[in-house]
Amino acid sequence: MQNNPALAIKTTYDKALALARDGNDLQAAALLDGLLLQAPNLPEIHYQRARIAARLGDQDKRLSAIDRAVALRPSEQAILTEAIAAHSAAGNHETVLSLYDKQIALDPKAIKPQAEKALYLQTAGQFDESEKLLRKLQKKHPYDAELYRMLATTIRIKPNDPMIGAMRRLANHPRLSATGRMHINFALAKAMEDTKNTSKVFPHLRLANKAQADLWPDDPEVRKAERDGVLKAQDGLRPLQDAKGTDPALIFVTGLPRSGTTLVEQIIASHSRVHAGGEMATALRCAYASFGTGADMRPLAEEPSEHFKAFIGLLGRANVPFVDQTKPCLTDKSIMAFMIYGLLHATLPNARFIVVHRDPRDIALSIYKNHFKGGTHRYANDLATIAEVIKAFRQVISHWRDTLPDRFAEVRYEDLVSDPELQSRRVIEAAGLEWEDECLNFHEKGGTVKTLSLHQVRQPIYKSSTAAWRRYETEMQPFIDAWGDTPWD
């Protein structure tokens, strides 16, 4: 019986994918590399090689593999999407834009690729180009409410902007979906604030947050059980002997949403030894994978040392796609990393921990005014609940302040904006670095920024965002009542 080469290739290919699904990326990569000798013109092989290379941190291989896949099959949306991700990570701005244009050309009527290109332009700081594209999309798709919110987020809307009238008409449309009500009312709230119609801001915010809460209901008990279970699991944990930490060393920058963590990360990442990882979300995910999820996390003081070493290895591998090999330090501003500071302190002796605080009233207002990705920050739709979440955050930080012996620092956003140089020097020292003047010029750095604060980090530090809550003191009363007698500072 003759061998069937096509069948043999498929068998090996399927085996490689199975290995990758099980986390055996090195073995999977070796099989796919071998397949290239037999089938160099199969785009699927190059596509999978690129995806695995991304997880292994081999940027050059990722780019060469995905470029070959694009050349072989330029009309495949999944390949183009992976190519956009690869070249975005590499900072190849012009290539990313050309890839988006390829996607758009495949289906010029589709909204998604054009909207994603507009978002990318925003992250790259090209706000004028992004605005032009979004306004063009709005004209073609006047009933797509999300397009209005996307644009309103990054421009200052003027009183005579025709978009305001279009948004009002859409908000009153009888067939507008719940998702549409959410997007259009967040956009209208921003428009009312920009045009100084402050009395109309909160009516729109209430409608937006009501729609968002209906779409993604909150469960305070689940949130509390997770927090209490994770903290209890870390009781009595001692530093792991002979632990060396990760390479690169991690600098955790945590705080509540809208507290100034992006600003602090950008200051640190302007240092020549630091690369900005952003909201990597790897630490908590690896902790849950290693020791149990949320309320079910096992008592860590009872875990054998080999489990902690496995956790360090898992975290190191998970961070690889975010690493710049030329920089010995990597920032991680994932919101929830503060939950496991005890575990991270015990296992990563080369890590640093910086917590950012801000006036709770300004945090609450900014959280309530902003749309978050569906299903995240479900507490954000109710001012009284936001107060409880901020209190809980402070309690956790107070615990770590009393527990962690070193490498733990705190900074106030208000202090940072009132005395940028002094506080920036404190931040850089807390990160374990020598001062560099470039850290004051973070807004000139360039590159992409994926955060709600992407417009602010393109500008020098400014004070206008402090005490913004005073303009809405009456509307903020549910938050103030829920805060009670707890000190603001």
Side-chain angles (χ1 to χ4, degrees):
M1 186 174 67
Q2 290 185 334
N3 290 331
N4 186 332
L7 179 60
I9 289 171
K10 185 180 185 307
T11 300
T12 304
Y13 178 79
D14 290 343
K15 182 179 179 181
L17 295 192
L19 286 167
R21 284 193 297 270
D22 291 338
N24 299 313
D25 286 330
L26 286 173
Q27 295 178 53
L31 283 180
L32 291 172
D33 289 347
L35 278 180
L36 282 185
L37 299 175
Q38 304 172 59
N41 294 322
L42 278 182
E44 293 87 350
I45 295 174
H46 295 282
Y47 170 71
Q48 296 297 345
R49 288 177 72 242
R51 298 181 70 194
I52 293 172
R55 294 198 293 271
L56 293 173
D58 191 336
Q59 185 74 286
D60 291 340
K61 183 177 179 179
R62 181 188 189 188
L63 291 172
S64 63
I66 199 61
D67 286 347
R68 182 59 179 154
V70 170
L72 289 168
R73 190 173 292 168
S75 61
E76 178 68 47
Q77 289 284 10
I79 290 175
L80 290 174
T81 298
E82 180 64 26
I84 288 169
H87 284 282
S88 295
N92 298 331
H93 178 64
E94 296 302 325
T95 302
V96 173
L97 292 179
S98 69
L99 289 164
Y100 272 121
D101 289 340
K102 287 180 185 292
Q103 275 196 326
I104 293 167
L106 291 175
D107 187 359
K109 294 183 179 180
I111 299 176
K112 187 173 182 288
Q114 297 184 69
E116 288 180 349
K117 179 182 178 181
L119 284 177
Y120 174 79
L121 287 167
Q122 289 179 3
T123 68
Q126 295 185 234
F127 298 108
D128 291 343
E129 292 84 349
S130 176
E131 178 181 353
K132 189 181 299 183
L133 178 53
L134 285 173
R135 287 191 184 275
K136 180 180 176 182
L137 284 171
Q138 285 173 2
K139 288 182 179 180
K140 290 184 177 179
H141 308 279
Y143 299 111
D144 192 310
E146 188 173 7
L147 292 173
Y148 295 98
R149 184 191 59 75
M150 289 168 62
L151 179 55
T153 300
T154 54
I155 67 169
R156 185 165 294 280
I157 302 172
K158 297 178 180 179
N160 60 351
D161 194 323
M163 186 172 76
I164 297 176
M167 289 193 294
R168 284 177 173 153
R169 290 190 293 274
L170 182 54
N172 293 319
H173 197 287
R175 295 173 61 184
L176 186 65
S177 67
T179 303
R181 285 197 304 275
M182 174 189 69
H183 286 305
I184 205 65
N185 279 290
F186 273 124
L188 277 166
K190 174 63 163 50
M192 294 303 98
E193 185 168 60
D194 286 351
T195 56
K196 310 301 182 186
N197 290 307
T198 53
S199 64
K200 298 181 180 180
V201 171
F202 262 74
H204 287 297
L205 286 179
R206 293 187 189 103
L207 290 172
N209 281 288
K210 172 64 167 61
Q212 190 163 243
D214 290 343
L215 289 166
W216 297 287
D218 182 36
D219 191 336
E221 293 303 317
V222 169
R223 191 168 54 248
K224 183 178 186 302
E226 178 182 20
R227 181 177 65 250
D228 292 347
V230 172
L231 288 179
K232 183 175 177 57
Q234 295 170 88
D235 283 350
L237 182 61
R238 296 288 181 267
L240 182 67
Q241 296 297 318
D242 302 325
K244 296 179 181 179
T246 56
D247 182 16
L250 292 170
I251 303 171
F252 291 94
V253 179
T254 54
L256 289 163
R258 317 302 296 158
S259 63
T261 53
T262 299
L263 172 61
V264 172
E265 184 190 39
Q266 291 298 307
I267 290 171
I268 298 171
S270 296
H271 196 282
S272 62
R273 294 173 57 81
V274 182
H275 180 65
E279 296 181 8
M280 302 192 300
T282 53
L284 191 65
R285 186 169 70 244
C286 290
Y288 282 178
S290 300
F291 305 110
T293 301
D296 297 324
M297 183 174 280
R298 302 186 297 274
L300 299 184
E302 301 174 9
E303 291 287 304
S305 61
E306 56 265 27
H307 287 187
F308 293 109
K309 293 175 181 177
F311 162 72
I312 297 169
L314 181 64
L315 178 59
R317 292 190 295 276
N319 287 342
V320 163
F322 304 95
V323 168
D324 179 341
Q325 297 290 352
T326 67
K327 306 290 181 70
C329 299
L330 176 69
T331 57
D332 181 346
K333 65 175 289 284
S334 304
I335 294 295
M336 298 303 292
F338 74 92
M339 294 269 286
I340 53 168
Y341 266 10
L343 168 63
L344 297 171
H345 186 276
T347 55
L348 308 178
N350 61 345
R352 297 281 178 147
F353 307 91
I354 300 173
V355 179
V356 185
H357 296 287
R358 186 183 182 187
D359 187 310
R361 292 160 290 194
D362 279 330
I363 291 177
L365 174 61
S366 191
I367 287 176
Y368 195 69
K369 283 176 13 180
N370 280 282
H371 164 70
F372 296 93
K373 183 180 178 181
T376 63
H377 306 299
R378 294 178 181 227
Y379 61 87
N381 306 304
D382 180 80
L383 288 167
T385 304
I386 295 172
E388 296 306 315
V389 168
I390 298 176
K391 285 184 183 181
F393 170 79
R394 286 186 163 198
Q395 290 169 0
V396 175
I397 297 305
S398 178
H399 170 74
W400 296 133
R401 185 186 302 127
D402 296 337
T403 305
L404 302 183
D406 59 359
R407 296 179 283 128
F408 175 86
E410 299 171 84
V411 61
R412 292 180 70 249
Y413 175 81
E414 290 79 8
D415 293 342
L416 184 57
V417 298
S418 65
D419 193 347
E421 181 167 355
L422 176 62
Q423 296 303 321
S424 295
R425 286 180 178 274
R426 285 191 61 235
V427 165
I428 295 301
E429 182 181 4
L433 301 164
E434 296 291 330
W435 175 254
E436 293 179 354
D437 290 340
E438 288 77 6
C439 296
L440 281 177
N441 301 318
F442 63 90
H443 56 286
E444 299 174 356
K445 184 181 179 185
T448 57
V449 180
K450 297 181 180 179
T451 170
L452 282 173
S453 307
L454 57 88
H455 194 273
Q456 291 93 319
V457 300
R458 303 291 182 187
Q459 306 172 42
I461 294 175
Y462 58 95
K463 300 180 181 180
S464 60
S465 59
T466 58
W469 67 272
R470 293 189 183 279
R471 295 196 297 271
Y472 305 100
E473 189 166 358
T474 300
E475 293 86 350
M476 290 287 292
Q477 202 58 47
F479 174 85
I480 294 170
D481 290 344
W483 191 263
D485 297 331
T486 304
W488 295 113
D489 190 348

